[in-house]
Amino acid sequence: MSNDTNNTHDGSGSEYLAFTLGSEEYGIDILKVQEIRGYEAVTRIANAPEFIKGVINLRGIIIPVVDMRIKFQLGTPTYDQFTVVIILNIGGRIMGMVVDSVSDVTTLTPDQIKPAPEMGTAFNSEYLMGLGTVDERMLILIDIDRLMSSSEMGLIDRMAA
């Protein structure tokens, strides 16, 4: 059994939700996205790190919300009509991620994804899956599973407990 198509069904590619943080465009696996919501006020949690905006009640489930702009030190976040919360389902754990805006869903074939160079990006390159290129666009592909379950995010476990 060949291993090069283990995450696609017909070799045509994988779908990524494209979103913006600051001037950069990022992509995450669409299969991790449960829904997209407008930004709403969150309930702050005492002693939580600054990038944990707080929690929201999503149809009876209390979920933590991480502001990626604060997490990646992309300046002071502004909350406007474009600000969205991407609701993620990571291994059965529901959480929200605040981003500047969501652009679209992009299909990337394996040959459109290049390895991420070692560079001074806002976050550790171990969370990067690569760079997706579509025409003139470049998406920074984030391994959202690894990022959200990393030890630096581990406080999500403690908060949700």
Side-chain angles (χ1 to χ4, degrees):
M1 179 173 166
S2 82
N3 200 17
D4 58 330
T5 55
N6 61 355
N7 62 357
T8 56
H9 300 296
D10 54 7
S12 65
S14 302
E15 291 189 317
Y16 293 88
L17 177 69
F19 61 90
T20 57
L21 290 172
S23 58
E24 303 293 336
E25 212 174 3
Y26 296 83
I28 55 173
D29 182 345
I30 193 74
L31 299 176
K32 309 292 180 200
V33 176
Q34 182 169 306
E35 66 184 276
I36 299 167
R37 301 169 60 90
Y39 183 75
E40 58 195 78
V42 297
T43 304
R44 286 284 303 157
I45 303 241
N47 303 325
E50 192 186 358
F51 65 85
I52 300 281
K53 283 306 291 180
V55 294
I56 58 173
N57 183 334
L58 184 72
R59 294 184 292 281
I61 306 168
I62 303 300
I63 63 167
V65 175
V66 175
D67 192 316
M68 291 311 226
R69 300 166 299 183
I70 298 172
K71 175 76 186 129
F72 296 155
Q73 292 148 6
L74 297 171
T76 307
T78 54
Y79 300 93
D80 59 26
Q81 73 271 27
F82 302 111
T83 307
V84 290
V85 179
I86 301 172
I87 305 296
L88 302 166
N89 187 332
I90 311 262
R93 179 174 294 271
I94 311 296
M95 59 188 70
M97 172 172 99
V98 181
V99 299
D100 287 336
S101 64
V102 170
S103 0
D104 57 9
V105 175
T106 304
T107 301
L108 293 171
T109 59
D111 59 328
Q112 287 175 300
I113 300 174
K114 309 283 181 266
E118 286 296 320
M119 55 188 177
T121 53
F123 51 94
N124 200 323
S125 54
E126 72 184 273
Y127 307 131
L128 294 182
M129 292 163 49
L131 297 175
T133 52
V134 187
D135 302 325
E136 297 300 300
R137 267 171 92 189
M138 187 150 24
L139 288 182
I140 300 167
L141 302 178
I142 300 176
D143 185 338
I144 199 70
D145 281 321
R146 282 183 76 168
L147 177 64
M148 289 301 186
S149 58
S150 65
S151 57
E152 56 193 286
M153 296 290 206
L155 36 83
I156 289 176
D157 289 348
R158 293 201 294 280
M159 281 178 41

